[in-house]
Amino acid sequence: LLFLIANVMTSLAQETVSFVADIANRNGDVIYIKDMMNKPVQEIKVNEKGVFSGTFSVSDNFYLLFDGVEYAQLFLKNGYELKLKMDAKNFDESIKFTGKGSDENNYLAETALLDQKYDYEGLLAMSEADFNKNLEEKINNEKAKLDKSKLDAKFIELQKTNIDRGVQGIKQYYTESQKNKKFNNTKAPSFDYENHAGGKTKLEDLKGKYVYIDVWATWCGPCRQEIPSLKAIEEKYHGKNIAFVSISVDADKDHEKWKTFVTDKSLGGIQLYADKSWNSDFTKAFEINSIPRFIIIDPNGNVLDADAARPSNPKLQAQLDKLLQ
């Protein structure tokens, strides 16, 4: 009987994945495992020991771990017994997996950190020939590293597919960034949008100042990642001849969500709400089809940089220092 029970338990374990997360400074009492379309697969509540623990079935694939604030990518397959230890205050840098399946997931965590440190701004600033040469070298190195690894074959196959998709995204972004240069040294289109602080604000109200514009939305993960850096930039240049304007392209149905988000996150600068989301005249004039997008306008209302550096990029501070000296 014990032998039969052991066989049944082993069989069940092979048909499910065990996931345990010990998260210091957790952002909530529930974590979610989602598929890559952001649909929930499993909800795991914290137990009396302060640990998240769950067992569930999956298909061999990539998933997302969401703690209510931040996301991390996972690779899950039935039979894995993953244990995660991390500090939510130092989210990406602290992720560490142990147990069966840890090699693949630590690889993802380490790759994500390297990707954050990669000089994409420098890559996008290159000539087309140098851009293609450096991008090809980067991709070949990543695939060679995978080929030399002893990671799960399905993981390697899926990760290579992800790399190829990423290449297409980078190439598209490069094409768009080159296209955006045509707006430089032209008269900036105006706007007249609802101000979170009350009333409405138009570009002409800011004449005489440099204007750093952040086009964003509450649902946009990369936009939200820039918030701490944007706050730091605003604080550093407080009192200088520059206005920081954030224009939300949230849909009409998310108007109250935007208002609450700005308040709850104590967002600074001038917080505006575009009147027609993506179809607002300002976003259409700049042909904006992806966010976040950053724009610098000079004191005379001319476009200085239609595709400015992100707040997290040190190049932005160097540019602003030069303008405001």
Side-chain angles (χ1 to χ4, degrees), residues 108-262:
L108 285 177
E110 292 163 6
T111 300
L113 278 179
L114 289 173
D115 200 55
Q116 289 176 19
K117 297 175 182 177
Y118 185 79
D119 184 15
Y120 282 104
E121 295 289 343
L123 180 67
L124 293 169
M126 293 178 180
S127 66
E128 185 173 358
D130 287 340
F131 168 81
N132 288 325
K133 177 183 177 181
N134 281 271
L135 181 59
E136 183 178 4
E137 182 179 338
K138 179 180 185 297
I139 299 313
N140 288 340
N141 288 340
E142 290 177 2
K143 289 186 175 181
K145 183 179 177 182
L146 280 169
D147 288 334
K148 292 178 182 178
S149 73
K150 297 180 180 179
L151 300 173
D152 181 271
K154 181 68 172 180
F155 172 84
I156 293 175
E157 175 190 345
L158 291 173
Q159 184 66 357
K160 284 186 175 181
T161 299
N162 266 357
I163 290 172
D164 291 334
R165 287 174 180 166
V167 169
Q168 294 306 312
I170 294 170
K171 286 183 176 180
Q172 181 180 352
Y173 193 88
Y174 179 79
T175 300
E176 290 182 2
S177 66
Q178 295 297 106
K179 178 189 68 177
N180 291 336
K181 291 180 179 179
K182 71 182 181 183
F183 296 110
N184 292 346
N185 302 312
T186 64
K187 189 69 176 177
S190 187
F191 54 76
D192 190 8
Y193 295 149
E194 175 189 346
N195 191 320
H196 188 273
K200 298 180 74 175
T201 298
K202 54 182 179 290
L203 179 60
E204 289 74 14
D205 295 334
L206 306 172
K207 189 173 182 179
K209 292 185 176 183
Y210 288 99
V211 183
Y212 181 73
I213 297 175
D214 168 19
V215 182
W216 73 294
T218 58
W219 49 262
C220 168
C223 302
R224 293 168 63 151
Q225 288 175 8
E226 292 296 324
I227 288 175
S229 298
L230 180 57
K231 284 184 175 181
I233 289 286
E234 290 171 346
E235 183 178 349
K236 177 176 180 180
Y237 295 98
H238 181 72
K240 303 289 186 180
N241 191 42
I242 182 168
F244 293 92
V245 177
S246 295
I247 299 177
S248 166
V249 292
D250 279 289
D252 288 345
K253 66 180 179 64
D254 292 325
H255 181 257
E256 289 302 316
K257 179 182 177 182
W258 164 74
K259 291 179 68 175
T260 301
F261 187 93
V262 171

Side-chain angles (χ1 to χ4, degrees), residues 24 47 62 73 82 156 158 185 230 242-243 247 250 267 273 296 298:
N47 61 26
F62 290 119
Q73 192 175 34
L82 276 173
I156 293 175
L158 291 173
N185 302 312
L230 180 57
I242 182 168
I247 299 177
D250 279 289
L267 301 188
Y273 190 80
I296 298 178
D298 74 14

Side-chain angles (χ1 to χ4, degrees), residues 35-47:
D35 64 19
M36 296 306 291
M37 299 300 292
N38 213 31
K39 294 180 180 179
V41 173
Q42 186 71 20
E43 176 182 305
I44 307 175
K45 296 180 179 179
V46 70
N47 61 26

